[in-house]
């Protein structure tokens, strides 16, 4: 489905344009029909990786292919839906106008009912006639979600989909992911919330400091976590992280972090 | 193709709803209507003052729209991240950019046409400067009319309508003089041109710098031909020989000539003197200047889209 091969991305920072690696030598295959969770601390390079996949930024080295097309080719995005982190929309246009426009940019005919269904699924139908810049953060997030699922794409890439949602919204969003999962969509989402991992994912990838340090099935990683908990014997299952998997992922990130 | 069209419509709608656009539009309309009061300060040639003043207002506000919206139409989209959802659809980046740019061009055309119409109505009310549409008088109108005459087999009609118009018959249709209409067209071309420059700059620098650069380019482009005339050697014929009596510094002269040749020349789009004296401009000149503007704009746009197609958007 999505093949990421030896991808490095550096940004030029400062006056002299010195290179700063955001992602280093990342190789990752995202399988079709599975939910892959992409975890890592702030600044790990998750959003950078996602932006490379959806063709917003170009990898400095290596290649990214989606269904055989290079990620900068528009055909790579024929069946792709993307939910950016902190989405935003132009001022002055109503929710319905915005989604109509994005629906038209797809290479197929989308009828009105499909648009309404997407809006209803994302729970923003009631505000479709309000100008989008008057939306709250969570409402904007919902509209962006509606935009990303319109046209029934095969691949869904969500960058921190749960941030900014209220408890009801989080539950609804997870239900949407379950629904999409049942329909064998390929889902790749990034998150900070370790508790999301077990519920949603088939596979877990962990990125720290731009390096992929884990890419495993849920079962395998749970086994590792259990073994780790056994070894540590330390009573840590309290407070913020209260399952072996969460503690394991947390320690993994902490250990590999440089600063 | 379809994507570009939707992009144009979307951008146009977005720009039309933007505060900067309609504040410029409203301000220009106020100035145009106010040109009446300005003209009252003079006893002579009030119509000419109104024309000068209004054409200045129309062109400066459209150029402002071109520069400020041109510098922000893509820049803000990137800055506010609303671009993320559009270019991750199955569209080419060039299509997106074309949509944005032509949407802005449509907005410029829209505002110029509105301003010209208001200007026309002001002139109509004042009954100044407008010319009656007399069949057979203008070359463009006569073609259509003569067909009509042939069909109706009424030869007398031509003479009648001419005298009707002259005597201020209520059904006389008045239009703007040709140079004013051409000036309107040139304002559109000029504003779209400068907006392409602003768009290009906004892809490589910040919005503020892009606007400043575009204003500079516009300013230099307006004075460069005059500068070039100034540094040309002054020649005189003395005793049958051409003698150079004054020669500007060589380096200065070549710098000016370089600027004059490379940077766009905006002064050719200003035909306000022809407009003020109702001197018709030749179709060759219109064609040449329009082609100059359109070709240069296309070139700037192509450079912009090459830069844009490689740009990291984050
Ligand atoms: N446009 C840019 N220019 C320079 N550096 C950048 C740019 N975008 C990202 N970076 C750097 O790349 C690194 C990775 O950023 P990224 O946004 O991918 O992190 P992230 O994993 O998504 O973090 P978060 O969890 O906070 O969203 C950071 O160190 C960031 O400073
Ligand atoms: Mg991020």
């Amino acid at each position: 489905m999505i093949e990421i091969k030896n991808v490095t991305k550096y940004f030029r920072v400062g006056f002299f344009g010195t290179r700063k690696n955001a992602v280093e030598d990342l190789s990752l295959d995202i399988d079709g029909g599975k939910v892959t969770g992409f975890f890592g601390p702030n600044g790990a390079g998750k959003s950078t990786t996602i932006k490379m996949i959806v063709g917003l930024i170009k990898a400095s080295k290596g290649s990214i292919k989606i269904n055989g097309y290079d990620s900068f080719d528009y055909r790579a995005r024929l069946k792709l839906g993307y939910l950016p982190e902190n989405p935003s929309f132009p001022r002055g246009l109503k929710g319905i106008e915005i989604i109509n426009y994005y629906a038209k940019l797809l290479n197929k005919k989308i009828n009105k009912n499909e648009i309404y269904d997407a809006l209803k699924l994302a729970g923003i139908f009631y505000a479709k006639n309000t100008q989008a810049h008057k939306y709250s953060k969570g409402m904007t997030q919902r509209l962006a979600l509606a935009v990303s699922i319109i046209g029934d794409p095969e691949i869904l890439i969500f960058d921190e989909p749960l941030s900014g949602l209220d408890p009801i919204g989080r539950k609804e969003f997870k239900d949407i992911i379950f629904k999409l999962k049942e329909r064998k969509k390929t889902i790749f989402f990034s998150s900070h919330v370790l508790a999301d991992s077990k519920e949603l994912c088939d596979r877990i990838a962990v990125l720290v400091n731009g390096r992929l340090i884990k890419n495993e099935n849920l079962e395998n990683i749970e086994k590792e976590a259990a073994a780790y908990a056994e070894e540590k014997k330390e009573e840590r299952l309290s407070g913020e992280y209260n399952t072996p998997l969460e503690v394991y992922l947390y320690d993994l990130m902490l250990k590999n972090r440089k600063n | 193709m379809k994507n570009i069209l939707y992009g144009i419509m979307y951008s146009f709608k977005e720009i039309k709803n933007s505060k900067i656009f309609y504040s410029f539009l409203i301000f220009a309309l106020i100035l145009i209507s106010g040109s009446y009061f300005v003209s009252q300060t003079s006893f002579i040639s009030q119509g000419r003052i109104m024309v000068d003043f209004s054409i200045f207002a129309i062109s400066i506000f459209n150029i402002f729209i071109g520069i400020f919206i041109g510098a922000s139409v893509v820049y803000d989209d990137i800055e506010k991240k609303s671009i993320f959802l559009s270019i991750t659809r199955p569209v080419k980046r060039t299509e997106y950019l074309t949509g944005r740019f032509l949407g802005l061009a449509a907005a410029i055309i829209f505002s110029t046409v509105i301003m010209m119409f208001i200007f026309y109505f002001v002139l109509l009310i004042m009954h100044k400067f407008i010319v009656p549409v007399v069949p057979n008088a203008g070359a463009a109108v006569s073609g259509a009319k003569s067909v009509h005459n042939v069909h109706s087999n009424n030869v007398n009609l031509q003479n009648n309508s001419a005298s009707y118009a002259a005597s201020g018959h209520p059904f006389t249709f008045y239009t703007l003089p040709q140079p004013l209409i051409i000036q309107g067209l040139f304002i559109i071309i000029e504003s779209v041109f400068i907006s392409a420059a602003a768009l290009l700059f906004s892809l490589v620098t910040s919005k503020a710098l892009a606007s400043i650069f575009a204003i500079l380019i516009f300013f230099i482009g307006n004075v460069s031909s005059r500068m070039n005339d100034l540094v040309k050697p002054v020649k005189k014929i003395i005793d049958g020989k051409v003698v150079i009596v004054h020669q500007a510094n060589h380096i200065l002269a070549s710098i000016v000539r370089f600027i004059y040749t490379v940077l766009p020349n905006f002064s050719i789009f200003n035909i306000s003197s022809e407009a003020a004296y109702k001197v018709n401009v030749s179709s060759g000149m219109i064609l040449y200047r329009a082609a100059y503007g359109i070709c240069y704009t296309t070139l700037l746009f192509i450079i912009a889209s090459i830069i844009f197609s490689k740009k990291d958007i984050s």
Side-chain angles (χ1 to χ4, degrees):
Chain A
M1 255 322 186
I2 303 177
E3 298 159 41
I4 305 173
K5 276 211 192 85
N6 305 98
V7 162
T8 297
K9 176 71 199 177
Y10 53 78
F11 290 107
R12 300 212 174 258
V13 289
F15 185 72
F16 297 104
T18 41
R19 291 179 183 187
K20 180 173 166 290
N21 279 0
V23 174
E24 272 179 70
D25 198 26
L26 173 76
S27 295
L28 176 66
D29 280 357
I30 300 169
D31 306 330
K34 292 229 173 79
V35 180
T36 308
F38 198 35
F39 295 86
N42 289 133
K46 302 183 295 295
S47 300
T48 305
T49 309
I50 286 180
K51 283 176 192 162
M52 285 192 283
I53 296 173
V54 298
L56 284 169
I57 60 183
K58 214 173 181 114
S60 314
K61 287 190 199 112
S63 76
I64 300 178
K65 290 229 152 65
I66 304 173
N67 289 334
Y69 294 112
D70 183 85
S71 64
F72 248 59
D73 188 336
Y74 79 100
R75 284 170 294 184
R77 297 186 293 272
L78 281 173
K79 288 173 187 161
L80 186 141
Y82 165 55
L83 174 67
E85 69 179 336
N86 308 322
S88 101
F89 297 101
R91 292 181 69 84
L93 295 179
K94 291 176 191 160
I96 187 78
E97 288 175 329
I98 287 173
I99 195 166
N100 274 334
Y101 165 68
Y102 289 116
K104 279 180 185 141
L105 291 186
L106 293 170
N107 277 15
K108 55 177 163 181
K109 193 108 191 77
I110 307 289
N111 63 33
K112 205 171 166 182
N113 286 338
E114 273 178 84
I115 290 175
Y116 283 0
D117 285 346
L119 286 171
K120 279 176 191 150
L121 192 63
I124 193 70
F125 184 73
Y126 69 96
K128 67 178 190 304
N129 287 322
T130 309
Q131 289 182 331
H133 66 266
K134 294 176 184 157
Y135 281 8
S136 75
K137 184 175 190 291
M139 287 162 81
T140 313
Q141 184 87 354
R142 285 163 187 263
L143 181 63
L145 172 67
V147 169
S148 68
I149 58 177
I150 196 119
D152 201 24
E154 296 288 302
I155 307 169
L156 288 147
I157 304 210
F158 299 139
D159 199 351
E160 281 170 43
L162 297 168
S163 79
L165 293 183
D166 56 19
I168 303 166
R170 293 175 66 84
K171 166 85 171 57
E172 282 174 358
F173 192 90
K174 284 181 184 175
D175 289 342
I176 293 172
I177 291 192
F178 285 131
K179 255 185 233 166
L180 295 167
K181 192 175 172 179
E182 269 167 31
R183 292 169 51 203
K184 294 280 168 232
K185 303 284 178 195
T186 309
I187 299 170
F188 185 69
F189 77 97
S190 78
S191 177
H192 295 126
V193 187
L194 299 178
D196 297 340
S197 57
K198 193 172 169 173
E199 274 178 273
L200 297 170
C201 304
D202 297 318
R203 203 176 174 85
I204 288 173
V206 181
L207 192 75
V208 183
N209 282 330
R211 291 183 170 279
L212 191 70
I213 53 170
K214 204 99 228 165
N215 175 22
E216 284 284 356
N217 281 332
L218 185 66
E219 293 133 49
N220 292 353
I221 213 160
E222 275 194 310
K223 271 181 214 151
E224 282 175 30
Y228 181 74
E230 192 77 2
E231 181 192 319
K232 280 278 234 188
K233 290 226 166 44
E234 192 184 340
E235 193 48 63
R236 286 263 300 282
L237 302 182
S238 63
E240 180 73 16
Y241 302 114
N242 41 31
T243 66
L245 181 60
E246 285 174 41
V247 173
Y248 179 61
L249 290 175
Y250 170 75
D251 281 358
L252 208 58
M253 285 180 200
L254 202 62
K255 234 177 9 203
N256 286 280
R257 211 175 52 160
K258 273 192 218 124
N259 36 21
Chain B
M1 206 51 228
K2 193 174 67 84
N3 289 341
I4 296 178
L5 212 64
Y6 291 131
I8 295 172
M9 276 159 30
Y10 183 77
S11 306
F12 177 66
K13 227 189 246 173
E14 192 192 331
I15 293 168
K16 198 163 59 63
N17 290 349
S18 72
K19 278 190 192 127
I20 178 163
F21 180 75
Y22 63 78
S23 45
F24 277 156
L25 186 62
I26 288 169
F27 208 54
L29 296 185
I30 292 171
L31 279 186
I32 293 167
S33 333
S35 71
Y36 164 72
F37 298 102
V38 176
S39 74
Q40 293 303 301
T41 57
S42 167
F43 294 109
I44 45 155
S45 58
Q46 294 177 342
R48 224 154 63 207
I49 292 175
M50 281 178 69
V51 168
D52 258 350
F53 189 80
S54 299
I55 287 297
F56 175 74
I58 294 174
S59 68
I60 206 73
F61 280 105
N62 277 296
I63 283 158
F64 277 167
I65 288 173
I67 290 177
F68 293 117
I69 301 186
S72 63
V73 71
V74 174
Y75 189 88
D76 280 359
D77 220 12
I78 295 175
E79 193 77 337
K80 288 196 216 135
K81 300 182 175 179
S82 44
I83 193 175
F84 283 11
L85 282 166
S86 28
I87 60 167
T88 52
R89 306 263 105 178
V91 294
K92 293 179 193 129
R93 284 197 181 184
T94 318
E95 287 176 341
Y96 164 83
L97 199 68
T98 312
R100 294 305 272 179
F101 180 63
L102 292 184
L104 171 57
I108 288 173
I109 293 172
F110 174 76
S111 78
T112 311
V113 167
I114 287 188
M115 290 178 195
M116 287 304 281
F117 256 105
I118 299 296
F119 179 39
Y120 167 66
F121 284 127
V122 171
L123 288 178
L124 205 59
I125 293 164
M126 301 289 305
H127 214 278
K128 283 217 168 73
F129 229 78
I130 38 181
V131 285
V133 180
V134 184
N136 282 350
V141 191
S142 72
K145 272 286 176 187
S146 60
V147 173
H148 170 78
N149 286 338
V150 168
H151 282 288
S152 61
N153 280 331
N154 189 350
V155 188
N156 274 341
L157 187 74
Q158 311 178 11
N159 303 328
N160 280 350
S161 57
S163 55
Y164 270 21
S167 63
H169 188 268
F171 289 100
T172 311
F173 183 73
Y174 287 96
T175 174
L176 292 172
Q178 184 251 18
L180 263 186
I181 295 172
I182 300 304
Q183 178 68 85
L185 176 73
F186 279 2
I187 287 172
I188 292 174
I189 295 176
E190 186 182 27
S191 311
V192 173
F193 187 172
I194 194 69
S195 78
L199 174 70
L200 172 60
F201 293 141
S202 78
L203 294 178
V204 286
T205 56
S206 70
K207 187 165 93 177
L209 277 180
S211 315
I212 291 170
F213 284 156
I215 291 170
L216 276 179
I217 293 270
F218 180 71
F219 180 72
I220 296 171
N222 259 311
V223 297
S224 65
S225 68
R226 246 173 292 159
M227 295 277 285
N228 194 43
D229 290 342
L230 279 181
V231 297
K232 268 186 193 152
V234 180
K235 292 170 187 165
K236 257 185 189 170
I237 298 175
I238 301 172
D239 298 338
K241 282 183 197 158
V242 179
V243 179
I244 297 174
V245 285
H246 175 74
Q247 168 78 67
N249 183 334
H250 268 296
I251 301 169
L252 183 72
S254 41
I255 290 175
V256 169
R257 197 158 322 121
F258 178 77
I259 289 176
Y260 173 67
T261 2
V262 173
L263 290 186
N265 181 359
F266 282 103
S267 57
I268 64 168
F269 297 117
N270 184 351
I271 52 168
S272 58
S273 43
E274 282 91 339
Y277 290 96
K278 296 196 205 174
V279 181
N280 278 15
V281 280
S282 71
S283 55
M285 193 185 97
I286 300 168
L287 221 60
Y288 165 74
R289 294 185 179 185
Y292 173 81
I294 291 168
C295 291
Y296 215 126
T297 308
T298 314
L299 177 73
L300 291 179
F301 181 75
I302 289 172
I303 298 172
S305 68
I306 291 170
I307 293 174
F308 185 68
S309 65
K310 291 183 182 144
K311 191 177 164 67
D312 273 356
I313 291 164
S314 69

